């Protein structure tokens, strides 16, 4: 339900964009991190019934639990109120994210953007160096990325992917600057 409504909205907003660009936009809106962000914005975490273990390990703030709960709520609205009611809820919760994603440019997916610029300028495939710290239930990951033999970035996140994205952003901006390319966070037209 969520994917259908977001895809249709993006296509109607940006009919001139390529399928690949639309897919990147959709991925920026329909992912666990974005869903967890929506859940936090509406205070959904405090409404979730959790077991004692999840309760004591911070389950109300875990992105996986929050994102799954948002999907369940949308599914419940669809089952009880139908397609139109579910689409209305999706628009209410996700239209701000859709607008924000449209303004991200290269920031839609820093890892992909870094890989594309590296390939275009024969810099080789970016390699990520990951370290972690903390207990299993509260790990923090730190990432750096090697491009053309040089180490960039110091991305930190609660997941490897989040840390890699942050490191890729730093690397992308530094590589773009060293190549004399214009600012890369331009919005989509």
């Amino acid at each position: 339900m969520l994917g259908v409504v977001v895809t249709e909205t993006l296509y109607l907003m940006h009919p001139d964009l390529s399928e690949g660009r639309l897919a990147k936009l959709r991925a920026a809106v329909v992912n666990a991190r974005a869903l967890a962000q929506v859940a936090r914005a509406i205070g959904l975490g405090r409404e979730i019934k959790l077991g004692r273990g999840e309760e004591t390990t911070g389950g109300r703030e875990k992105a996986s639990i929050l994102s799954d709960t948002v999907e369940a709520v949308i599914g419940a609205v669809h089952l009880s109120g139908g397609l139109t009611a579910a689409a209305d809820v999706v628009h209410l919760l996700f239209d701000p994210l859709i607008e924000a994603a449209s303004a991200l440019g290269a920031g839609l997916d820093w890892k992909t953007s870094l890989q594309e610029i590296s390939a275009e300028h024969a810099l080789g495939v970016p390699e990520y160096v990951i370290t972690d710290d903390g207990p299993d239930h509260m790990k923090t990951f730190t990432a750096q990325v090697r491009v053309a033999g040089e180490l960039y970035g110091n991305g930190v996140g609660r997941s490897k992917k989040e840390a890699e994205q942050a490191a890729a952003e730093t690397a992308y901006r530094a590589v773009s600057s060293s190549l004399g390319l214009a600012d890369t966070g331009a919005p989509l037209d």
Side-chain angles (χ1 to χ4, degrees), residues 26-38:
R26 181 184 179 281
V29 176
V30 182
N31 64 60
R33 190 172 49 131
L35 271 68
Q37 179 182 339
V38 165

Side-chain angles (χ1 to χ4, degrees), residues 31-37 40 61-64 66-67 107-112 128-131 138-145 152-171:
N31 64 60
R33 190 172 49 131
L35 271 68
Q37 179 182 339
R40 287 183 185 104
E61 285 301 312
K62 284 186 182 173
S64 60
L66 292 171
S67 63
L108 279 173
D109 181 355
W110 290 112
K111 286 179 67 176
T112 301
Y128 293 85
V129 180
I130 310 288
T131 57
M138 293 283 288
K139 280 218 184 296
T140 300
F141 295 90
T142 303
Q144 291 184 297
V145 60
Y152 294 95
N154 195 25
V156 178
R158 300 277 299 154
S159 68
K160 288 179 184 179
K161 185 175 182 179
E162 192 176 307
E164 288 173 346
Q165 282 289 342
E169 177 181 2
T170 304

